[in-house]
Amino acid sequence: MTSAGVQDVNVTASLTYNVTNTTDTSHQSMSEMPLLLYQLFGKLICSFGIVCNVINLCVLAQKELYESPYVYLIALAFSDVTFLLLSLIHLLSYTNPATGFFSYFNAYAFFVGGNICFNISVWLIVFITLERMTFVLWPLKFKPSRRKAFVAILSIVSLCSIINIPRAFCLRVGQVKKGYTIRSLPFRGSQEFYYLSWFHSVIINFIPNLILIITNTILIKTIRKAATERVNLRSNQSEASRQDERRLTRMLIAIVIVFFICTIPSAFSDDPISYALIGAPKGRTWLEHLNSPGNTIQLYVNNILLYLNSSLNFILYCAFNRKFRKATHHLFQRLKSSVRKSNERHQDQSMSSITTSTVVHNNATLVIAALQKFDSKV
């Protein structure tokens, strides 16, 4: 185990390239502590993120949030919750990885589907930022629409699905005496897959990060200019609308900053690059490097960062977007009212049903109180 392998943080490609390391026996020679910590924090973060993204989907479906950026955010929440759900099932597979269900799930659903979901999330963030930049720079010429957003989302989903098709030919599930095991097919250790890994690195790391650096630099400068000179984003908008636009822009900037923190290291240390820097100089083959203990520990750290990136959007939305907070407040108010009416109609039902409704009612009350307190401070 080399220090370089432990220190290199990769949050994109190695999640999927190395997923077999977490389902075969390569980690058994390592200390179990990193694996136990990875499972513990991974399950907690994934569970938290699933709940937050389900709330995101419910809030973003409200009529108040009808603009095109929120269409992208709905797609982002759906992609994130799918990725976190796949990841949570993958983490649960550690308890009995030799079962047929978990073996096939890890080899195909997680290895292929997880990568598709994350790739979609990356490009959704890019398209949201591009739309916001063009809107800010040319507010009268460029008019975002829900239709354009739907077309862009469909294109992103199609492209990300196509470029990940080769992953379905990397692994094979085989039956052994004690159950099932996952083995790498020759294609995964081939030169062709190595070049494909570089292609994915460029498409998912370098190009998106370069675009986001440029667009967010422009957005930050525009926000500062609007704050110092009180320049309106659109001259025909009311003050409230202009405030909403600025808050939405700040929220998108915050999303990208968190995205950078959690994923930018992958632009310099994903599998093909780390192999070129670490594996090749040591005389390892491509497959030996992927299955090395150092690369496996790197996988644990990378995945935790990736789970965080997919779990924090609800907090960012609430912190930077008052319109989203209002929609969340209205949603929980309706939920609280619905639960109260349900309790009044079913007073004679079982105590367990009443207790469950009371818990939901109390949680909704807590969320509403927290949002009101946050709004008063802001």
Side-chain angles (χ1 to χ4, degrees), residues 86-186:
L86 292 173
S87 300
L88 182 60
I89 297 174
H90 164 68
L91 289 167
L92 293 174
S93 73
Y94 281 87
T95 57
N96 195 0
T99 61
F101 170 77
F102 283 135
S103 295
Y104 281 100
F105 175 87
N106 284 319
Y108 299 107
F110 180 59
F111 185 67
V112 181
N115 222 357
I116 292 174
C117 290
F118 180 68
N119 293 172
I120 291 172
S121 297
V122 170
W123 279 101
L124 283 173
I125 293 174
V126 171
F127 269 69
I128 296 171
T129 311
L130 284 172
E131 183 189 79
R132 180 60 16 182
M133 184 195 70
T134 52
F135 174 79
V136 168
L137 294 180
W138 305 287
L140 300 179
K141 294 182 180 180
F142 182 82
K143 296 182 179 179
S145 67
R146 293 173 63 90
R147 181 178 176 277
K148 292 178 182 178
F150 281 121
V151 172
I153 292 169
L154 181 60
S155 301
I156 291 170
V157 172
S158 301
L159 175 63
C160 293
S161 299
I162 291 172
I163 66 175
N164 282 285
I165 289 177
R167 301 186 192 282
F169 304 97
C170 291
L171 306 174
R172 179 184 63 190
V173 177
Q175 194 166 5
V176 294
K177 293 182 179 179
K178 295 184 179 181
Y180 293 82
T181 185
I182 298 176
R183 294 189 178 94
S184 295
L185 291 172

Side-chain angles (χ1 to χ4, degrees), residues 9-47:
V9 179
N10 180 319
V11 293
T12 305
S14 75
L15 165 71
T16 52
Y17 296 149
N18 295 314
V19 68
T20 53
N21 295 350
T22 64
T23 56
D24 60 23
T25 59
S26 61
H27 59 75
Q28 292 177 353
S29 60
M30 302 165 50
S31 170
E32 291 188 358
M33 184 57 67
L35 178 60
L36 293 175
L37 291 175
Y38 168 61
Q39 293 183 66
L40 174 62
F41 287 107
K43 290 174 183 176
L44 291 175
I45 295 170
C46 286
S47 300

Side-chain angles (χ1 to χ4, degrees), residues 228-300:
T228 56
E229 301 179 9
R230 304 189 65 83
V231 175
N232 296 333
L233 294 178
R234 293 185 73 174
S235 58
N236 60 343
Q237 288 181 306
S238 65
E239 179 60 27
S241 297
R242 290 193 293 269
Q243 288 287 350
D244 284 339
E245 295 293 350
R246 286 194 284 269
R247 291 189 186 105
L248 179 58
T249 304
R250 292 191 186 98
M251 182 191 75
L252 295 178
I253 292 173
I255 291 172
V256 173
I257 291 174
V258 172
F259 175 82
F260 276 141
I261 293 173
C262 293
T263 65
I264 194 64
S266 66
F268 305 97
S269 62
D270 65 12
D271 281 339
I273 299 176
S274 64
Y275 172 69
L277 296 176
I278 302 171
K282 292 189 174 183
R284 295 174 180 169
T285 65
W286 166 245
L287 204 57
E288 287 173 346
H289 172 69
L290 294 183
N291 292 323
S292 65
N295 202 50
T296 303
I297 291 182
Q298 176 179 296
L299 167 70
Y300 298 155

Side-chain angles (χ1 to χ4, degrees), residues 10 15 38 110 298-308:
N10 180 319
L15 165 71
Y38 168 61
F110 180 59
Q298 176 179 296
L299 167 70
Y300 298 155
V301 177
N302 297 340
N303 284 1
I304 291 296
L305 289 174
L306 196 58
Y307 301 152
L308 281 172

Side-chain angles (χ1 to χ4, degrees), residues 304-365:
I304 291 296
L305 289 174
L306 196 58
Y307 301 152
L308 281 172
N309 178 69
S310 297
S311 301
L312 297 178
N313 284 339
F314 176 74
I315 297 174
L316 297 176
Y317 298 164
C318 288
F320 291 94
N321 193 331
R322 187 176 181 182
K323 194 171 183 179
F324 181 87
R325 289 199 303 273
K326 285 184 177 180
T328 306
H329 181 273
H330 293 160
L331 175 66
F332 278 91
Q333 282 281 23
R334 288 195 290 270
L335 177 62
K336 179 180 176 181
S337 176
S338 176
V339 171
R340 184 174 64 248
K341 291 179 181 179
S342 178
N343 281 341
E344 292 173 355
R345 289 196 305 266
H346 302 91
Q347 288 293 335
D348 57 340
Q349 286 190 348
S350 65
M351 184 60 66
S352 61
S353 175
I354 296 176
T355 302
T356 302
S357 298
T358 302
V359 171
V360 174
H361 182 276
N362 292 340
N363 287 337
T365 303

